[in-house]
Amino acid sequence: MTEQHLATTVSTPDGPFSLIVSKGSLLASGFSDDLAALNTLIHPSLRQPIDQLQQVAAGSDDSRLAPVLSALSDYYDGDLSAPQRVAVRQQSGEFRMLAWDVLRTVPAGQCISYTEYAQRANRPAAVRAAASACAMNAAALFVPCHRVRRSDGSLGGFRYGLAIKRSLLEREGFLPTA
């Protein structure tokens, strides 16, 4: 029997943050309270229908959510490496899976360009594919796609908006605070 996925939304300094977990791993997370939209980011082989998600109230002490919520809280309390301690499970093709693993090696306080990202993923000519891996990342913050910028130094895109991307990078000490 498949374990029921758990979902919750909590408040952060950057707004509502939702997450979906199953079997001790984070499947999806993002700066939104729209669990249905977040659920669609999960690969179909891992996804459960939205009406089957067990929604847990914010502030719950459900032990199955505790590691992810603790890492999120620790991140906002200044332990910027806390999200790296959370197991993340995403599914896709070989390149995208490798690309997501590569993102998890970019430490807080650093950014890489899409070109460098493609090089680190062993496909230097695949800059667009690297950008696509960022765009398809279901586990925002825990797979830190916000740490990738354009070659000209501009922020590029971010599913949850450039204001949140800028806030995360400022928090991590990459961008000066305004």
Side-chain angles (χ1 to χ4, degrees):
M1 180 173 170
T2 304
E3 178 179 310
Q4 186 174 33
H5 295 7
L6 302 175
T8 194
T9 302
V10 297
S11 294
T12 73
D14 291 311
F17 189 85
S18 295
L19 53 98
I20 300 172
V21 300
S22 180
K23 297 181 182 178
S25 296
L26 177 72
L27 299 176
S29 58
F31 294 92
S32 169
D33 58 4
D34 186 345
L35 288 171
L38 188 62
N39 195 51
T40 64
L41 299 177
I42 299 171
H43 190 273
S45 68
L46 301 174
R47 183 185 318 140
Q48 284 185 344
I50 189 70
D51 62 346
Q52 292 180 19
L53 292 180
Q54 180 184 345
Q55 294 190 32
V56 179
S60 167
D61 61 356
D62 191 307
S63 63
R64 298 169 294 174
L65 294 171
V68 180
L69 292 175
S70 177
L72 182 65
S73 176
D74 290 350
Y75 174 84
Y76 278 103
D77 286 342
D79 181 358
L80 302 176
S81 65
Q84 300 311 109
R85 296 190 293 265
V86 172
V88 173
R89 186 166 32 125
Q90 296 192 83
Q91 184 63 48
S92 190
E94 183 179 334
F95 175 75
R96 199 169 280 166
M97 299 279 292
L98 173 62
W100 290 329
D101 288 343
V102 166
L103 279 175
R104 295 198 86 190
T105 68
V106 179
Q110 292 184 18
C111 273
I112 59 175
S113 68
Y114 289 104
T115 301
E116 184 179 352
Y117 179 34
Q119 291 168 345
R120 289 186 184 193
N122 300 319
R123 299 244 325 255
V127 176
R128 287 181 190 236
S132 177
C134 282
M136 297 304 295
N137 173 31
L141 187 65
F142 294 87
V143 176
C145 56
H146 65 278
R147 295 182 187 150
V148 182
R149 302 182 311 159
R150 291 184 176 145
S151 295
D152 67 5
S154 64
L155 293 182
F158 188 59
R159 178 182 309 276
Y160 303 101
L162 291 182
I164 292 176
K165 184 172 186 172
R166 177 173 293 286
S167 175
L168 295 171
L169 292 173
E170 286 174 352
R171 180 171 288 101
E172 294 175 4
F174 185 78
L175 295 175
T177 55

